[in-house]
Amino acid sequence: MITEVQTKTTGAAVPNIDAAAHVTGRSLYLDDLPMLDGTLYAKIFDSPAAHGIVRRIDFSRAAAAPGIVRIFSAADIPGANNIGGIFPDEPLLADKKVLFMGQPLLLLVAESEEAAEAALPLIEVEIEPLPVITCPREAFRKGELLSPTRSFRTGDTEAAFASCAWVLEGSAETGGQEHLYLETHGAYAWPLENDSLRIYSSTQGLRHVQETVAHLLALGMHRVEVDVTRLGGGFGGKEDQAALWASMAGLAAWHLRRPVKCIPHRMEDMRMSGKRNPYKSDYRIGLDADGRILAFEATYYQNGGAAADLSPAILERTLFHGTNTYAIPNVTLTAHSCRTNLPPNTAFRGFGGPQGMFVMEAALDHAAKAMGLPTFELQRRNLMTDGYTFSYGQTVTQSAATACWEEAADRFGLTEKQAKVAAFNKANAWKKKGFSLMPICFGISFTNTMMNQARALLHVYWDGSVSLSTGAVEMGQGINTKMLQVAALMLGIHPGRIKLESTNTTRVANTSPSAASATADLNGKAVEDACRQIRGRLEMVARELLGAAEDAPVEIREEQVSSPGVDTTTDWATLIRTAFSKRINRSAKGHYATPDIHFDKKTEKGHPFAYHVYGTALTHCTVDCLRGTYEIDSVEVVHDFGQSINPLIDLGQCEGGIVQGIGWMTMEEVVYDESGRLRSNALSTYKIPDIYSVPKVLDVHFLETEGHRLAIRRSKAVGEPPLMYGIGAFFALRNAVLAFNPNADLPYTAPMTPERVLMALYSNKA
Ligand code: MTE
Ligand code: HPA
Ligand code: MOS
């Protein structure tokens, strides 16, 4: 439903076009698709062991169970038994060896979901156990690497450390994070004529799904059509891993020539899918007597899980964001992607950036405590300004780091609040408050330059209404509303005339995943290109219609077509009908490739990002020192949105990102035991922020900036950067604990769960 506001305004706070359908339950998700007659259900039988050799597998009893149509194993795959995106190192169905608990071994296909479920326990499997590795440091010691080690360097850290007044070293750890999209993974495959398939998939990455299914079945990609209406959340979890479920449904549909649905239950999804990569890291930081960072070294041990998945790319972004927003002249960062016997970990909002930034913040906090300064003093003294060159060679322009910081300190009264916290802590024995600042700087563009491209397809129908297709996937981030706004502004028509089509590989091919926060920039600029082409043609028609000169400018605004100095006007609908009768093409394909970006992996130097996003968060919390429980009192942010195209949606992205970041840093704890079994395997054992635990105050201020020419209509990318404000919650809590017990033993280990807080409150550093 298009509201009144939307038909009038286009560049302002347009409500999400999905809002009404969402709250009335009319939005369509994968499992809402009308079912075809004869649809079958597929269930995965997954490995009960984390590492071992499959000695025997017997599914004869299951195959004879009621309703079972067929059971597939690796032997039934006609093409490539691989779902790996970056490296072909992950089988769809394991064969002789299993590498993680939850790894698919067989696919049961039945007339009903219940029948498939009932047959699962009838499968017998014997696995000869092999040693299980769950720790990335151990994997590294044993030489288990998923990809070659990478290093970013600038200056000479060794020489610089020698001249530092302060040198501190230590370790930092961050845990995994379950995506917990409201809609689980899933796919629904339909066999079509001529050996073709259509796959409805809950994926952020249509091209990867299409390519994986095609190669699996030894088909050309042209025989596999992938369609996505929307996702009930992806958060990176469906960037590459959706291919697993699509491949399962596709394999069965192709063999059986019947439609097949494969949608896991929540616990299956949690057990079988990868999560945010946990990291264990070491750092060394050197500063001069004035608190300027002269040198920083870090070594990251990324827990990649059993296959590469996206981990090598995630590792790269850790390196890009290893120094966060600080101007450090001498930097050496080294990152290892380590193979463990866990489900392959994957993209998660921030894509390795948050993991890198946490280590930097831990090092700074460590140094500040040693120097007897508030951490925010050191942060502020080291904020980067224009002209600083990152370790990866890109030079900073349009830095908003200081502007965001100063505005946050001013607007939210840092000095007064500091005094208030001190006074509160003096007056209260059993409750302590803590606060922190968290500045961020996040690079926008896929770090793999090739992926920074997009296309859009636009049709104008006879009645003047418009069909718009892009490569963008709507997953709750409001991309469809933004695309609609861009097209409406470019064409000068009411948004109500435009319909966003489902994302489909036949309409828009070769898409990059909707990821890297770059979806609006890339697809929006492709929409602009398509609109520009159509406008160019329509303007020629308009000049004739209005009797304007051949080179006269034409305006189309609010559906009215005019030319300065000409006193006739016409409307959009008439213009379109005239174009039709003149046989002018009213369809266009737009294309966009981000200009000016490049990166050389041999030298590890280049200009990988179109621009950076900045901001600063001020976080306050209160710890109950008897129980270890805590509340986040407030998160106050000044964020650089550029010229926001949709402040309502951007604010929502900011709030959601912050809460998700706080969850990662505080209560969300992914636990695997030594045998590689996921212990936090349901919502009873894995806790995410709810309405009661979100910050009591969440205040986001839009910094006034010009935006960036490579951002869509100068509206900067917003999807991922705010998540990193959540890191501030860790340090605020740490400060509150230290206010209670200055000698508390509190390593830089996230998440800061209430259990960890309680133990720390009554601990003593040796
Ligand atoms: N917001 C919602 N509601 N649901 C999501 O799945 N994914 C996040 C972010 N915000 C996500 C979200 C992630 S990981 C990314 S990369 C961006 O949205 C992707 O969309 P964008 O490129 O349009 O920002
Ligand atoms: N960000 C998010 N997803 C990605 C990236 C990236 O830089 N590269 C490949 N997939
Ligand atoms: Mo987001 S992690 O780039 O899907």
Side-chain angles (χ1 to χ4, degrees), residues 179 181 204 231-239 347-351 442 446 472-479 482-483 513-521 523 652-653 656-657 660 717-721:
H179 299 87
Y181 18 66
Q204 295 171 242
L231 315 187
F235 305 110
K238 297 170 181 172
E239 181 175 333
F348 197 131
R349 210 168 190 171
F351 205 75
F442 196 78
F446 286 97
V473 171
E474 176 62 67
M475 52 187 135
Q477 89 279 42
I479 190 71
K482 287 186 176 179
M483 295 303 95
S514 286
S517 307
T519 316
D521 284 354
N523 291 275
Q653 282 295 295
Q660 203 166 34
V718 69
E720 294 165 287

Short mmCIF file of all heavy atoms in Angstrom, two decimals, residues 179 181 204 231-239 347-351 442 446 472-479 482-483 513-521 523 652-653 656-657 660 717-721, ligand 1:
data_model
loop_
_atom_site.label_atom_id
_atom_site.label_comp_id
_atom_site.label_asym_id
_atom_site.label_seq_id
_atom_site.Cartn_x
_atom_site.Cartn_y
_atom_site.Cartn_z
N HIS A 179 23.10 -15.90 13.35
CA HIS A 179 22.38 -14.85 12.60
C HIS A 179 20.95 -14.67 13.10
O HIS A 179 20.44 -13.57 13.18
CB HIS A 179 22.36 -15.19 11.11
CG HIS A 179 23.72 -15.28 10.50
ND1 HIS A 179 24.46 -16.43 10.52
CD2 HIS A 179 24.48 -14.36 9.88
CE1 HIS A 179 25.63 -16.21 9.92
NE2 HIS A 179 25.66 -14.96 9.52
N TYR A 181 18.16 -14.89 11.80
CA TYR A 181 17.15 -14.29 10.93
C TYR A 181 15.81 -14.90 11.36
O TYR A 181 15.73 -16.08 11.73
CB TYR A 181 17.44 -14.64 9.47
CG TYR A 181 18.38 -15.82 9.29
CD1 TYR A 181 17.99 -17.10 9.68
CD2 TYR A 181 19.66 -15.65 8.82
CE1 TYR A 181 18.85 -18.18 9.58
CE2 TYR A 181 20.53 -16.74 8.71
CZ TYR A 181 20.11 -18.00 9.09
OH TYR A 181 20.95 -19.07 9.01
N GLN A 204 20.63 -14.06 -0.22
CA GLN A 204 21.12 -12.71 -0.54
C GLN A 204 21.89 -12.75 -1.86
O GLN A 204 22.15 -11.71 -2.45
CB GLN A 204 22.08 -12.22 0.55
CG GLN A 204 21.46 -12.02 1.91
CD GLN A 204 22.52 -11.76 2.98
OE1 GLN A 204 22.64 -12.52 3.92
NE2 GLN A 204 23.28 -10.68 2.85
N LEU A 231 13.52 -11.66 2.04
CA LEU A 231 13.99 -12.53 3.11
C LEU A 231 13.49 -11.99 4.44
O LEU A 231 13.41 -10.78 4.63
CB LEU A 231 15.52 -12.57 3.20
CG LEU A 231 16.33 -12.74 1.91
CD1 LEU A 231 17.79 -12.92 2.26
CD2 LEU A 231 15.83 -13.89 1.10
N GLY A 232 13.22 -12.91 5.34
CA GLY A 232 12.96 -12.50 6.72
C GLY A 232 14.29 -12.37 7.43
O GLY A 232 14.55 -13.02 8.43
N GLY A 233 15.17 -11.55 6.88
CA GLY A 233 16.51 -11.33 7.44
C GLY A 233 17.55 -12.24 6.82
O GLY A 233 17.27 -13.39 6.46
N GLY A 234 18.72 -11.69 6.66
CA GLY A 234 19.85 -12.46 6.13
C GLY A 234 21.08 -12.23 6.99
O GLY A 234 21.72 -13.16 7.45
N PHE A 235 21.42 -10.95 7.18
CA PHE A 235 22.53 -10.52 8.04
C PHE A 235 23.86 -11.13 7.62
O PHE A 235 24.76 -11.25 8.44
CB PHE A 235 22.23 -10.80 9.52
CG PHE A 235 20.93 -10.19 9.99
CD1 PHE A 235 19.84 -10.98 10.30
CD2 PHE A 235 20.80 -8.81 10.07
CE1 PHE A 235 18.63 -10.41 10.70
CE2 PHE A 235 19.59 -8.23 10.47
CZ PHE A 235 18.51 -9.02 10.79
N GLY A 236 23.98 -11.55 6.37
CA GLY A 236 25.22 -12.16 5.89
C GLY A 236 25.11 -13.68 5.86
O GLY A 236 25.79 -14.34 5.08
N GLY A 237 24.24 -14.23 6.70
CA GLY A 237 24.11 -15.69 6.79
C GLY A 237 23.61 -16.32 5.51
O GLY A 237 23.81 -17.51 5.26
N LYS A 238 22.95 -15.53 4.68
CA LYS A 238 22.41 -16.07 3.42
C LYS A 238 23.15 -15.49 2.21
O LYS A 238 22.63 -15.53 1.10
CB LYS A 238 20.90 -15.77 3.34
CG LYS A 238 20.09 -16.46 4.45
CD LYS A 238 18.65 -15.98 4.50
CE LYS A 238 17.87 -16.67 5.63
NZ LYS A 238 16.52 -16.08 5.81
N GLU A 239 24.35 -14.96 2.46
CA GLU A 239 25.13 -14.45 1.32
C GLU A 239 25.62 -15.62 0.47
O GLU A 239 25.49 -15.60 -0.74
CB GLU A 239 26.32 -13.60 1.81
CG GLU A 239 27.14 -13.04 0.64
CD GLU A 239 28.24 -12.09 1.05
OE1 GLU A 239 28.13 -11.43 2.10
OE2 GLU A 239 29.23 -11.99 0.29
N ALA A 347 29.78 -14.86 6.48
CA ALA A 347 29.52 -13.42 6.58
C ALA A 347 28.54 -13.12 7.71
O ALA A 347 27.58 -13.88 7.94
CB ALA A 347 28.93 -12.91 5.27
N PHE A 348 28.78 -12.07 8.42
CA PHE A 348 27.82 -11.54 9.40
C PHE A 348 28.10 -10.05 9.53
O PHE A 348 29.22 -9.65 9.79
CB PHE A 348 27.97 -12.23 10.76
CG PHE A 348 26.78 -12.04 11.67
CD1 PHE A 348 26.20 -13.12 12.32
CD2 PHE A 348 26.22 -10.78 11.88
CE1 PHE A 348 25.09 -12.94 13.16
CE2 PHE A 348 25.12 -10.60 12.69
CZ PHE A 348 24.56 -11.68 13.34
N ARG A 349 27.07 -9.27 9.31
CA ARG A 349 27.10 -7.81 9.42
C ARG A 349 28.44 -7.26 9.95
O ARG A 349 28.77 -7.42 11.13
CB ARG A 349 25.96 -7.38 10.36
CG ARG A 349 25.39 -6.00 10.05
CD ARG A 349 24.12 -5.82 10.81
NE ARG A 349 23.40 -4.62 10.38
CZ ARG A 349 22.17 -4.32 10.78
NH1 ARG A 349 21.54 -5.12 11.61
NH2 ARG A 349 21.57 -3.24 10.36
N GLY A 350 29.16 -6.66 9.07
CA GLY A 350 30.48 -6.11 9.41
C GLY A 350 31.61 -6.90 8.76
O GLY A 350 32.68 -6.37 8.50
N PHE A 351 31.35 -8.21 8.53
CA PHE A 351 32.19 -9.04 7.66
C PHE A 351 33.66 -9.01 8.07
O PHE A 351 34.54 -8.74 7.27
CB PHE A 351 32.03 -8.51 6.22
CG PHE A 351 32.30 -9.52 5.14
CD1 PHE A 351 31.39 -10.52 4.85
CD2 PHE A 351 33.45 -9.44 4.38
CE1 PHE A 351 31.64 -11.43 3.83
CE2 PHE A 351 33.71 -10.35 3.36
CZ PHE A 351 32.80 -11.35 3.07
N PHE A 442 34.15 2.78 8.52
CA PHE A 442 33.90 1.54 7.78
C PHE A 442 33.96 1.80 6.28
O PHE A 442 33.35 2.74 5.77
CB PHE A 442 32.52 0.99 8.17
CG PHE A 442 32.31 -0.45 7.77
CD1 PHE A 442 32.86 -1.48 8.53
CD2 PHE A 442 31.55 -0.78 6.65
CE1 PHE A 442 32.67 -2.82 8.17
CE2 PHE A 442 31.35 -2.11 6.29
CZ PHE A 442 31.91 -3.13 7.05
N PHE A 446 32.56 -3.78 -1.91
CA PHE A 446 33.08 -5.13 -1.73
C PHE A 446 34.59 -5.02 -1.82
O PHE A 446 35.10 -4.32 -2.70
CB PHE A 446 32.58 -6.05 -2.85
CG PHE A 446 31.14 -6.43 -2.73
CD1 PHE A 446 30.16 -5.75 -3.43
CD2 PHE A 446 30.76 -7.49 -1.92
CE1 PHE A 446 28.82 -6.11 -3.33
CE2 PHE A 446 29.42 -7.86 -1.81
CZ PHE A 446 28.45 -7.16 -2.51
N ALA A 472 18.99 -6.29 -6.40
CA ALA A 472 18.98 -6.13 -4.94
C ALA A 472 17.96 -7.04 -4.28
O ALA A 472 16.87 -7.23 -4.80
CB ALA A 472 18.67 -4.68 -4.60
N VAL A 473 18.33 -7.57 -3.14
CA VAL A 473 17.43 -8.42 -2.37
C VAL A 473 16.93 -7.66 -1.15
O VAL A 473 17.71 -7.11 -0.36
CB VAL A 473 18.15 -9.71 -1.92
CG1 VAL A 473 17.29 -10.49 -0.93
CG2 VAL A 473 18.49 -10.57 -3.13
N GLU A 474 15.60 -7.64 -1.02
CA GLU A 474 15.00 -7.01 0.17
C GLU A 474 15.06 -8.00 1.33
O GLU A 474 14.52 -9.10 1.25
CB GLU A 474 13.54 -6.65 -0.14
CG GLU A 474 12.77 -6.08 1.05
CD GLU A 474 13.35 -4.79 1.58
OE1 GLU A 474 13.31 -3.77 0.87
OE2 GLU A 474 13.85 -4.79 2.72
N MET A 475 15.75 -7.60 2.39
CA MET A 475 15.83 -8.52 3.55
C MET A 475 15.44 -7.80 4.83
O MET A 475 15.85 -8.18 5.93
CB MET A 475 17.22 -9.13 3.66
CG MET A 475 18.36 -8.14 3.65
SD MET A 475 19.94 -9.00 3.56
CE MET A 475 20.77 -8.05 2.32
N GLY A 476 14.67 -6.72 4.66
CA GLY A 476 14.25 -5.95 5.82
C GLY A 476 14.99 -4.63 5.92
O GLY A 476 14.61 -3.76 6.71
N GLN A 477 16.03 -4.47 5.10
CA GLN A 477 16.84 -3.24 5.20
C GLN A 477 16.23 -2.08 4.42
O GLN A 477 16.76 -0.99 4.42
CB GLN A 477 18.28 -3.53 4.76
CG GLN A 477 18.59 -3.37 3.27
CD GLN A 477 18.18 -4.56 2.43
OE1 GLN A 477 17.11 -5.13 2.62
NE2 GLN A 477 19.01 -4.93 1.48
N GLY A 478 15.10 -2.34 3.74
CA GLY A 478 14.39 -1.25 3.09
C GLY A 478 14.90 -0.91 1.70
O GLY A 478 14.61 0.18 1.17
N ILE A 479 15.59 -1.84 1.08
CA ILE A 479 16.20 -1.54 -0.23
C ILE A 479 15.13 -1.26 -1.28
O ILE A 479 15.31 -0.39 -2.14
CB ILE A 479 17.13 -2.70 -0.67
CG1 ILE A 479 17.94 -2.30 -1.91
CG2 ILE A 479 16.36 -3.98 -0.96
CD1 ILE A 479 19.01 -1.31 -1.65
N LYS A 482 14.01 2.27 -1.13
CA LYS A 482 15.03 3.18 -1.65
C LYS A 482 15.09 3.14 -3.18
O LYS A 482 15.22 4.18 -3.84
CB LYS A 482 16.40 2.84 -1.06
CG LYS A 482 16.52 3.24 0.42
CD LYS A 482 17.93 3.03 0.94
CE LYS A 482 18.04 3.54 2.38
NZ LYS A 482 19.38 3.34 2.95
N MET A 483 14.98 1.96 -3.77
CA MET A 483 15.03 1.84 -5.23
C MET A 483 13.83 2.55 -5.86
O MET A 483 13.94 3.21 -6.89
CB MET A 483 15.06 0.37 -5.66
CG MET A 483 16.31 -0.39 -5.23
SD MET A 483 17.87 0.32 -5.81
CE MET A 483 18.36 1.31 -4.40
N PRO A 513 25.98 -10.42 -4.53
CA PRO A 513 25.04 -10.59 -3.42
C PRO A 513 24.62 -9.23 -2.86
O PRO A 513 25.35 -8.25 -3.00
CB PRO A 513 25.84 -11.38 -2.38
CG PRO A 513 27.27 -11.21 -2.76
CD PRO A 513 27.29 -11.01 -4.23
N SER A 514 23.45 -9.18 -2.27
CA SER A 514 23.07 -7.97 -1.55
C SER A 514 23.82 -8.02 -0.24
O SER A 514 23.46 -8.75 0.68
CB SER A 514 21.56 -7.94 -1.32
OG SER A 514 20.93 -7.63 -2.54
N ALA A 515 24.90 -7.28 -0.17
CA ALA A 515 25.83 -7.38 0.96
C ALA A 515 26.77 -6.19 0.92
O ALA A 515 26.66 -5.33 0.05
CB ALA A 515 26.62 -8.68 0.86
N ALA A 516 27.68 -6.19 1.89
CA ALA A 516 28.71 -5.15 1.98
C ALA A 516 28.10 -3.75 2.14
O ALA A 516 28.78 -2.75 1.87
CB ALA A 516 29.65 -5.21 0.77
N SER A 517 26.85 -3.68 2.54
CA SER A 517 26.12 -2.41 2.71
C SER A 517 26.03 -1.63 1.40
O SER A 517 25.59 -0.49 1.39
CB SER A 517 26.78 -1.51 3.77
OG SER A 517 26.96 -2.21 4.97
N ALA A 518 26.44 -2.24 0.31
CA ALA A 518 26.60 -1.50 -0.93
C ALA A 518 25.41 -1.66 -1.88
O ALA A 518 25.44 -1.16 -3.00
CB ALA A 518 27.88 -1.96 -1.63
N THR A 519 24.37 -2.36 -1.44
CA THR A 519 23.27 -2.69 -2.33
C THR A 519 22.57 -1.46 -2.90
O THR A 519 22.27 -1.40 -4.09
CB THR A 519 22.26 -3.59 -1.59
OG1 THR A 519 22.97 -4.58 -0.87
CG2 THR A 519 21.32 -4.27 -2.56
N ALA A 520 22.32 -0.48 -2.05
CA ALA A 520 21.61 0.72 -2.52
C ALA A 520 22.49 1.53 -3.47
O ALA A 520 22.02 2.03 -4.50
CB ALA A 520 21.17 1.58 -1.34
N ASP A 521 23.77 1.64 -3.13
CA ASP A 521 24.67 2.40 -4.02
C ASP A 521 24.76 1.73 -5.39
O ASP A 521 24.59 2.38 -6.42
CB ASP A 521 26.09 2.46 -3.44
CG ASP A 521 26.21 3.46 -2.29
OD1 ASP A 521 25.23 4.19 -2.03
OD2 ASP A 521 27.29 3.51 -1.67
N ASN A 523 22.95 -0.86 -6.90
CA ASN A 523 21.71 -1.05 -7.65
C ASN A 523 21.02 0.29 -7.92
O ASN A 523 20.42 0.48 -8.97
CB ASN A 523 20.79 -2.02 -6.92
CG ASN A 523 21.34 -3.43 -6.96
OD1 ASN A 523 21.13 -4.16 -7.91
ND2 ASN A 523 22.08 -3.81 -5.93
N GLY A 652 16.28 3.22 11.33
CA GLY A 652 15.97 1.83 11.67
C GLY A 652 17.19 0.93 11.52
O GLY A 652 17.45 0.08 12.36
N GLN A 653 17.93 1.13 10.44
CA GLN A 653 19.16 0.35 10.24
C GLN A 653 20.16 0.61 11.36
O GLN A 653 20.84 -0.29 11.85
CB GLN A 653 19.78 0.71 8.88
CG GLN A 653 19.09 0.04 7.73
CD GLN A 653 19.23 -1.46 7.78
OE1 GLN A 653 20.30 -2.03 7.66
NE2 GLN A 653 18.12 -2.14 8.02
N GLY A 656 18.82 -1.03 14.65
CA GLY A 656 18.95 -2.49 14.57
C GLY A 656 20.40 -2.93 14.65
O GLY A 656 20.74 -3.89 15.34
N GLY A 657 21.26 -2.23 13.95
CA GLY A 657 22.68 -2.57 13.95
C GLY A 657 23.29 -2.43 15.33
O GLY A 657 24.05 -3.29 15.79
N GLN A 660 22.09 -5.25 17.56
CA GLN A 660 22.74 -6.51 17.17
C GLN A 660 24.21 -6.53 17.61
O GLN A 660 24.73 -7.56 18.04
CB GLN A 660 22.63 -6.68 15.64
CG GLN A 660 22.75 -8.11 15.18
CD GLN A 660 22.31 -8.28 13.74
OE1 GLN A 660 22.49 -7.39 12.90
NE2 GLN A 660 21.72 -9.42 13.42
N ALA A 717 25.95 4.54 2.57
CA ALA A 717 25.59 3.17 2.95
C ALA A 717 25.47 3.08 4.47
O ALA A 717 26.24 3.68 5.19
CB ALA A 717 26.65 2.20 2.46
N VAL A 718 24.50 2.29 4.93
CA VAL A 718 24.20 2.32 6.37
C VAL A 718 24.03 0.94 7.00
O VAL A 718 23.99 0.79 8.21
CB VAL A 718 22.93 3.19 6.61
CG1 VAL A 718 21.69 2.49 6.05
CG2 VAL A 718 22.75 3.54 8.06
N GLY A 719 23.97 -0.11 6.17
CA GLY A 719 23.60 -1.44 6.67
C GLY A 719 24.48 -1.98 7.79
O GLY A 719 23.98 -2.44 8.81
N GLU A 720 25.78 -1.96 7.60
CA GLU A 720 26.67 -2.60 8.56
C GLU A 720 27.32 -1.66 9.58
O GLU A 720 27.47 -2.05 10.75
CB GLU A 720 27.78 -3.36 7.83
CG GLU A 720 27.30 -4.54 7.02
CD GLU A 720 28.36 -5.01 6.05
OE1 GLU A 720 28.60 -4.32 5.04
OE2 GLU A 720 28.95 -6.06 6.30
N PRO A 721 27.77 -0.47 9.18
CA PRO A 721 28.60 0.32 10.10
C PRO A 721 28.06 0.45 11.53
O PRO A 721 28.83 0.31 12.48
CB PRO A 721 28.71 1.68 9.39
CG PRO A 721 28.57 1.36 7.94
CD PRO A 721 27.60 0.21 7.88
N1 MTE B 1 18.66 -5.21 8.05
C1 MTE B 1 17.65 -6.11 8.12
N2 MTE B 1 16.46 -5.70 8.57
N3 MTE B 1 17.83 -7.41 7.76
C2 MTE B 1 19.06 -7.87 7.31
O1 MTE B 1 19.20 -9.05 6.99
N4 MTE B 1 21.40 -7.31 6.82
C3 MTE B 1 22.52 -6.41 7.11
C4 MTE B 1 22.10 -4.96 6.87
N5 MTE B 1 20.85 -4.67 7.52
C5 MTE B 1 20.15 -6.94 7.24
C6 MTE B 1 19.88 -5.59 7.61
C7 MTE B 1 23.72 -6.69 6.33
S1 MTE B 1 24.76 -7.89 6.84
C8 MTE B 1 24.01 -5.97 5.22
S2 MTE B 1 25.43 -6.24 4.35
C9 MTE B 1 23.12 -4.94 4.70
O2 MTE B 1 21.95 -4.78 5.48
C10 MTE B 1 22.73 -5.32 3.28
O3 MTE B 1 21.84 -4.44 2.72
P1 MTE B 1 22.28 -3.03 2.10
O4 MTE B 1 23.48 -3.30 1.24
O5 MTE B 1 21.10 -2.62 1.35
O6 MTE B 1 22.63 -2.15 3.24
#
